[in-house]
Amino acid sequence: MTECTNLHNCFQNERLMEVVLDGTPLPANVARHVAHCPLCQSTLAQYEELHFKLLSRLYRSQCPSSLQLGFFCAGLLSGAESEAIASHVAQCPLCSLEVLQTQEFLHDVEQIR
Ligand SMILES: [Zn+2]
Ligand SMILES: [Zn+2]
């Protein structure tokens, strides 16, 4: 516990940030240090949380609006538009979930009619 309050043993924050952003596994020497260092562990956890938030915002910034997704599900879009959304949905976990929910909703509506 004590050795890691010694910052000389710790890796630069930028270094840890890089590892998180690159999504690469920790280099062996870093991993060995982090395994014993609560300070670096918490730094790393913070970066990972931040990275996750940035990532979900990145996804969202490229996402079609809910209205567009609704039109897509109802088959109201032109071929090109619908293709663009289909290829986005295929790689976006957020939208594929929304499409699934919308399709279920549409299905229910049709049952009522
Ligand atoms: Zn450390
Ligand atoms: Zn999306």
Side-chain angles (χ1 to χ4, degrees):
M1 285 293 248
T2 48
E3 85 251 32
C4 279
T5 49
N6 173 6
L7 280 175
H8 288 297
N9 285 337
C10 283
F11 291 89
Q12 298 296 311
N13 287 354
E14 296 82 47
R15 189 73 202 287
L16 290 174
M17 183 63 137
E18 248 173 56
V19 168
V20 171
L21 289 182
D22 286 351
T24 49
L26 291 173
N29 61 331
V30 182
R32 220 175 301 136
H33 169 84
V34 171
H36 299 286
C37 176
L39 195 65
C40 284
Q41 276 165 24
S42 78
T43 309
L44 205 60
Q46 277 169 17
Y47 284 149
E48 271 165 5
E49 197 190 320
L50 182 71
H51 182 50
F52 179 76
K53 282 186 191 148
L54 287 177
L55 201 67
S56 37
R57 197 171 308 159
L58 189 72
Y59 272 127
R60 265 312 187 199
S61 76
Q62 298 173 350
C63 287
S65 68
S66 297
L67 193 65
Q68 276 177 302
L69 284 176
F71 285 163
F72 169 71
C73 292
L76 296 174
L77 294 178
S78 74
E81 275 176 316
S82 152
E83 253 172 54
I85 292 184
S87 74
H88 172 86
V89 168
Q91 48 178 297
C92 176
L94 299 169
C95 286
S96 63
L97 188 69
E98 196 162 333
V99 163
L100 215 64
Q101 286 167 347
T102 309
Q103 277 168 346
E104 270 170 26
F105 171 76
L106 288 176
H107 184 72
D108 289 348
V109 169
E110 272 172 25
Q111 297 280 302
I112 296 167
R113 258 195 246 145

